[in-house]
PDB file of all heavy atoms in Angstrom:
ATOM      1  N   ASP A  22     -10.570 -14.847  -7.892  1.00 95.00           N
ATOM      2  CA  ASP A  22      -9.397 -15.824  -7.867  1.00 95.00           C
ATOM      3  C   ASP A  22      -8.154 -15.180  -7.360  1.00 95.00           C
ATOM      4  O   ASP A  22      -7.412 -15.594  -6.590  1.00 95.00           O
ATOM      5  CB  ASP A  22      -9.206 -16.418  -9.241  1.00 95.00           C
ATOM      6  CG  ASP A  22     -10.288 -17.415  -9.583  1.00 95.00           C
ATOM      7  OD1 ASP A  22     -11.035 -17.835  -8.719  1.00 95.00           O
ATOM      8  OD2 ASP A  22     -10.507 -17.667 -10.857  1.00 95.00           O
ATOM      9  N   LEU A  23      -7.878 -13.912  -7.911  1.00 96.00           N
ATOM     10  CA  LEU A  23      -6.771 -13.167  -7.556  1.00 96.00           C
ATOM     11  C   LEU A  23      -6.790 -12.803  -6.109  1.00 96.00           C
ATOM     12  O   LEU A  23      -5.808 -12.801  -5.386  1.00 96.00           O
ATOM     13  CB  LEU A  23      -6.511 -11.979  -8.437  1.00 96.00           C
ATOM     14  CG  LEU A  23      -6.200 -12.281  -9.899  1.00 96.00           C
ATOM     15  CD1 LEU A  23      -6.455 -11.029 -10.864  1.00 96.00           C
ATOM     16  CD2 LEU A  23      -4.724 -12.606 -10.047  1.00 96.00           C
ATOM     17  N   ALA A  24      -7.964 -12.370  -5.694  1.00 95.00           N
ATOM     18  CA  ALA A  24      -8.224 -11.907  -4.282  1.00 95.00           C
ATOM     19  C   ALA A  24      -7.944 -13.036  -3.322  1.00 95.00           C
ATOM     20  O   ALA A  24      -7.416 -12.827  -2.196  1.00 95.00           O
ATOM     21  CB  ALA A  24      -9.554 -11.262  -4.118  1.00 95.00           C
ATOM     22  N   LYS A  25      -8.246 -14.279  -3.792  1.00 94.00           N
ATOM     23  CA  LYS A  25      -8.028 -15.376  -2.985  1.00 94.00           C
ATOM     24  C   LYS A  25      -6.558 -15.590  -2.685  1.00 94.00           C
ATOM     25  O   LYS A  25      -6.098 -15.910  -1.589  1.00 94.00           O
ATOM     26  CB  LYS A  25      -8.581 -16.721  -3.599  1.00 94.00           C
ATOM     27  CG  LYS A  25     -10.123 -16.859  -3.478  1.00 94.00           C
ATOM     28  CD  LYS A  25     -10.517 -18.139  -4.178  1.00 94.00           C
ATOM     29  CE  LYS A  25     -12.031 -18.236  -4.180  1.00 94.00           C
ATOM     30  NZ  LYS A  25     -12.467 -19.384  -4.946  1.00 94.00           N
ATOM     31  N   HIS A  26      -5.790 -15.350  -3.713  1.00 92.00           N
ATOM     32  CA  HIS A  26      -4.279 -15.399  -3.601  1.00 92.00           C
ATOM     33  C   HIS A  26      -3.802 -14.343  -2.711  1.00 92.00           C
ATOM     34  O   HIS A  26      -2.867 -14.619  -1.868  1.00 92.00           O
ATOM     35  CB  HIS A  26      -3.669 -15.302  -4.991  1.00 92.00           C
ATOM     36  CG  HIS A  26      -3.498 -16.499  -5.734  1.00 92.00           C
ATOM     37  ND1 HIS A  26      -4.437 -16.950  -6.668  1.00 92.00           N
ATOM     38  CD2 HIS A  26      -2.548 -17.553  -5.737  1.00 92.00           C
ATOM     39  CE1 HIS A  26      -4.065 -18.114  -7.273  1.00 92.00           C
ATOM     40  NE2 HIS A  26      -2.954 -18.447  -6.654  1.00 92.00           N
ATOM     41  N   VAL A  27      -4.378 -13.223  -2.841  1.00 91.00           N
ATOM     42  CA  VAL A  27      -3.865 -11.956  -2.081  1.00 91.00           C
ATOM     43  C   VAL A  27      -4.110 -12.229  -0.579  1.00 91.00           C
ATOM     44  O   VAL A  27      -3.324 -11.986   0.262  1.00 91.00           O
ATOM     45  CB  VAL A  27      -4.466 -10.720  -2.607  1.00 91.00           C
ATOM     46  CG1 VAL A  27      -4.310  -9.577  -1.636  1.00 91.00           C
ATOM     47  CG2 VAL A  27      -4.032 -10.261  -3.882  1.00 91.00           C
ATOM     48  N   THR A  28      -5.398 -12.650  -0.355  1.00 90.00           N
ATOM     49  CA  THR A  28      -5.785 -12.817   1.108  1.00 90.00           C
ATOM     50  C   THR A  28      -5.302 -14.141   1.683  1.00 90.00           C
ATOM     51  O   THR A  28      -5.307 -14.311   2.947  1.00 90.00           O
ATOM     52  CB  THR A  28      -7.286 -12.701   1.243  1.00 90.00           C
ATOM     53  OG1 THR A  28      -7.863 -13.721   0.503  1.00 90.00           O
ATOM     54  CG2 THR A  28      -7.803 -11.352   0.821  1.00 90.00           C
ATOM     55  N   GLY A  29      -4.996 -15.086   0.836  1.00 90.00           N
ATOM     56  CA  GLY A  29      -4.692 -16.388   1.340  1.00 90.00           C
ATOM     57  C   GLY A  29      -5.773 -17.292   1.685  1.00 90.00           C
ATOM     58  O   GLY A  29      -5.684 -18.153   2.521  1.00 90.00           O
ATOM     59  N   GLU A  30      -7.032 -16.779   1.382  1.00 90.00           N
ATOM     60  CA  GLU A  30      -8.236 -17.472   1.784  1.00 90.00           C
ATOM     61  C   GLU A  30      -8.824 -18.192   0.467  1.00 90.00           C
ATOM     62  O   GLU A  30      -9.500 -17.595  -0.275  1.00 90.00           O
ATOM     63  CB  GLU A  30      -9.251 -16.528   2.340  1.00 90.00           C
ATOM     64  CG  GLU A  30      -8.837 -15.891   3.698  1.00 90.00           C
ATOM     65  CD  GLU A  30      -9.797 -14.849   4.166  1.00 90.00           C
ATOM     66  OE1 GLU A  30     -11.028 -15.210   4.260  1.00 90.00           O
ATOM     67  OE2 GLU A  30      -9.401 -13.804   4.448  1.00 90.00           O
ATOM     68  N   ALA A  31      -8.630 -19.516   0.488  1.00 91.00           N
ATOM     69  CA  ALA A  31      -8.958 -20.221  -0.696  1.00 91.00           C
ATOM     70  C   ALA A  31     -10.480 -20.395  -0.868  1.00 91.00           C
ATOM     71  O   ALA A  31     -10.963 -20.581  -1.960  1.00 91.00           O
ATOM     72  CB  ALA A  31      -8.327 -21.648  -0.671  1.00 91.00           C
ATOM     73  N   ASN A  32     -11.190 -20.272   0.297  1.00 92.00           N
ATOM     74  CA  ASN A  32     -12.700 -20.535   0.212  1.00 92.00           C
ATOM     75  C   ASN A  32     -13.455 -19.235   0.084  1.00 92.00           C
ATOM     76  O   ASN A  32     -14.653 -19.227   0.284  1.00 92.00           O
ATOM     77  CB  ASN A  32     -13.085 -21.374   1.440  1.00 92.00           C
ATOM     78  CG  ASN A  32     -12.454 -22.706   1.516  1.00 92.00           C
ATOM     79  OD1 ASN A  32     -12.295 -23.341   0.402  1.00 92.00           O
ATOM     80  ND2 ASN A  32     -12.107 -23.156   2.628  1.00 92.00           N
ATOM     81  N   LEU A  33     -12.794 -18.162  -0.101  1.00 93.00           N
ATOM     82  CA  LEU A  33     -13.488 -16.869  -0.146  1.00 93.00           C
ATOM     83  C   LEU A  33     -14.542 -16.851  -1.303  1.00 93.00           C
ATOM     84  O   LEU A  33     -14.218 -17.305  -2.362  1.00 93.00           O
ATOM     85  CB  LEU A  33     -12.397 -15.773  -0.457  1.00 93.00           C
ATOM     86  CG  LEU A  33     -12.733 -14.407  -0.123  1.00 93.00           C
ATOM     87  CD1 LEU A  33     -12.934 -14.163   1.451  1.00 93.00           C
ATOM     88  CD2 LEU A  33     -11.533 -13.458  -0.506  1.00 93.00           C
ATOM     89  N   ASP A  34     -15.626 -16.150  -0.993  1.00 95.00           N
ATOM     90  CA  ASP A  34     -16.643 -16.028  -2.106  1.00 95.00           C
ATOM     91  C   ASP A  34     -16.832 -14.504  -2.324  1.00 95.00           C
ATOM     92  O   ASP A  34     -16.456 -13.685  -1.391  1.00 95.00           O
ATOM     93  CB  ASP A  34     -17.925 -16.676  -1.812  1.00 95.00           C
ATOM     94  CG  ASP A  34     -18.569 -16.098  -0.528  1.00 95.00           C
ATOM     95  OD1 ASP A  34     -19.187 -15.094  -0.570  1.00 95.00           O
ATOM     96  OD2 ASP A  34     -18.336 -16.727   0.585  1.00 95.00           O
ATOM     97  N   TYR A  35     -17.376 -14.108  -3.459  1.00 96.00           N
ATOM     98  CA  TYR A  35     -17.381 -12.688  -3.669  1.00 96.00           C
ATOM     99  C   TYR A  35     -18.255 -11.914  -2.816  1.00 96.00           C
ATOM    100  O   TYR A  35     -17.840 -10.726  -2.476  1.00 96.00           O
ATOM    101  CB  TYR A  35     -17.918 -12.521  -5.251  1.00 96.00           C
ATOM    102  CG  TYR A  35     -17.737 -11.135  -5.736  1.00 96.00           C
ATOM    103  CD1 TYR A  35     -16.542 -10.651  -6.182  1.00 96.00           C
ATOM    104  CD2 TYR A  35     -18.764 -10.157  -5.656  1.00 96.00           C
ATOM    105  CE1 TYR A  35     -16.308  -9.334  -6.606  1.00 96.00           C
ATOM    106  CE2 TYR A  35     -18.583  -8.902  -6.021  1.00 96.00           C
ATOM    107  CZ  TYR A  35     -17.381  -8.412  -6.544  1.00 96.00           C
ATOM    108  OH  TYR A  35     -17.147  -7.134  -6.867  1.00 96.00           O
ATOM    109  N   VAL A  36     -19.388 -12.482  -2.270  1.00 95.00           N
ATOM    110  CA  VAL A  36     -20.228 -11.783  -1.459  1.00 95.00           C
ATOM    111  C   VAL A  36     -19.458 -11.346  -0.173  1.00 95.00           C
ATOM    112  O   VAL A  36     -19.479 -10.177   0.296  1.00 95.00           O
ATOM    113  CB  VAL A  36     -21.491 -12.500  -1.056  1.00 95.00           C
ATOM    114  CG1 VAL A  36     -22.427 -11.857  -0.099  1.00 95.00           C
ATOM    115  CG2 VAL A  36     -22.293 -12.760  -2.453  1.00 95.00           C
ATOM    116  N   THR A  37     -18.697 -12.341   0.337  1.00 94.00           N
ATOM    117  CA  THR A  37     -17.942 -12.131   1.631  1.00 94.00           C
ATOM    118  C   THR A  37     -16.896 -11.011   1.319  1.00 94.00           C
ATOM    119  O   THR A  37     -16.724 -10.083   2.117  1.00 94.00           O
ATOM    120  CB  THR A  37     -17.248 -13.360   2.075  1.00 94.00           C
ATOM    121  OG1 THR A  37     -18.254 -14.422   2.117  1.00 94.00           O
ATOM    122  CG2 THR A  37     -16.566 -13.181   3.366  1.00 94.00           C
ATOM    123  N   LEU A  38     -16.218 -11.156   0.138  1.00 95.00           N
ATOM    124  CA  LEU A  38     -15.228 -10.120  -0.178  1.00 95.00           C
ATOM    125  C   LEU A  38     -15.785  -8.676  -0.242  1.00 95.00           C
ATOM    126  O   LEU A  38     -15.240  -7.739   0.292  1.00 95.00           O
ATOM    127  CB  LEU A  38     -14.592 -10.605  -1.528  1.00 95.00           C
ATOM    128  CG  LEU A  38     -13.359  -9.839  -1.938  1.00 95.00           C
ATOM    129  CD1 LEU A  38     -12.151 -10.226  -1.179  1.00 95.00           C
ATOM    130  CD2 LEU A  38     -13.157 -10.043  -3.466  1.00 95.00           C
ATOM    131  N   TYR A  39     -16.947  -8.714  -0.876  1.00 95.00           N
ATOM    132  CA  TYR A  39     -17.707  -7.410  -1.125  1.00 95.00           C
ATOM    133  C   TYR A  39     -18.056  -6.792   0.315  1.00 95.00           C
ATOM    134  O   TYR A  39     -17.788  -5.627   0.531  1.00 95.00           O
ATOM    135  CB  TYR A  39     -18.907  -7.698  -2.023  1.00 95.00           C
ATOM    136  CG  TYR A  39     -19.643  -6.369  -2.333  1.00 95.00           C
ATOM    137  CD1 TYR A  39     -19.358  -5.680  -3.429  1.00 95.00           C
ATOM    138  CD2 TYR A  39     -20.798  -6.008  -1.527  1.00 95.00           C
ATOM    139  CE1 TYR A  39     -20.095  -4.580  -3.791  1.00 95.00           C
ATOM    140  CE2 TYR A  39     -21.474  -4.893  -1.885  1.00 95.00           C
ATOM    141  CZ  TYR A  39     -21.113  -4.177  -2.989  1.00 95.00           C
ATOM    142  OH  TYR A  39     -21.781  -3.068  -3.368  1.00 95.00           O
ATOM    143  N   GLN A  40     -18.637  -7.665   1.067  1.00 93.00           N
ATOM    144  CA  GLN A  40     -19.083  -7.122   2.418  1.00 93.00           C
ATOM    145  C   GLN A  40     -17.923  -6.660   3.279  1.00 93.00           C
ATOM    146  O   GLN A  40     -17.992  -5.771   4.084  1.00 93.00           O
ATOM    147  CB  GLN A  40     -19.881  -8.206   3.186  1.00 93.00           C
ATOM    148  CG  GLN A  40     -21.261  -8.403   2.544  1.00 93.00           C
ATOM    149  CD  GLN A  40     -22.004  -9.611   2.977  1.00 93.00           C
ATOM    150  OE1 GLN A  40     -21.456 -10.474   3.713  1.00 93.00           O
ATOM    151  NE2 GLN A  40     -23.300  -9.685   2.615  1.00 93.00           N
ATOM    152  N   ARG A  41     -16.791  -7.341   3.053  1.00 92.00           N
ATOM    153  CA  ARG A  41     -15.619  -7.037   3.933  1.00 92.00           C
ATOM    154  C   ARG A  41     -14.968  -5.667   3.410  1.00 92.00           C
ATOM    155  O   ARG A  41     -14.404  -4.928   4.149  1.00 92.00           O
ATOM    156  CB  ARG A  41     -14.593  -8.153   3.816  1.00 92.00           C
ATOM    157  CG  ARG A  41     -13.628  -8.189   4.977  1.00 92.00           C
ATOM    158  CD  ARG A  41     -12.600  -9.255   4.810  1.00 92.00           C
ATOM    159  NE  ARG A  41     -13.153 -10.584   4.997  1.00 92.00           N
ATOM    160  CZ  ARG A  41     -12.428 -11.677   4.671  1.00 92.00           C
ATOM    161  NH1 ARG A  41     -11.174 -11.645   4.285  1.00 92.00           N
ATOM    162  NH2 ARG A  41     -12.899 -12.854   4.823  1.00 92.00           N
TER     163      ARG A  41
END
Side-chain angles (χ1 to χ4, degrees):
Chain A
D22 290 342
L23 291 162
K25 283 178 183 175
H26 274 95
V27 169
T28 59
E30 293 175 51
N32 297 323
L33 199 63
D34 61 82
Y35 190 82
V36 175
T37 308
L38 188 75
Y39 184 88
Q40 286 167 351
R41 200 184 292 171

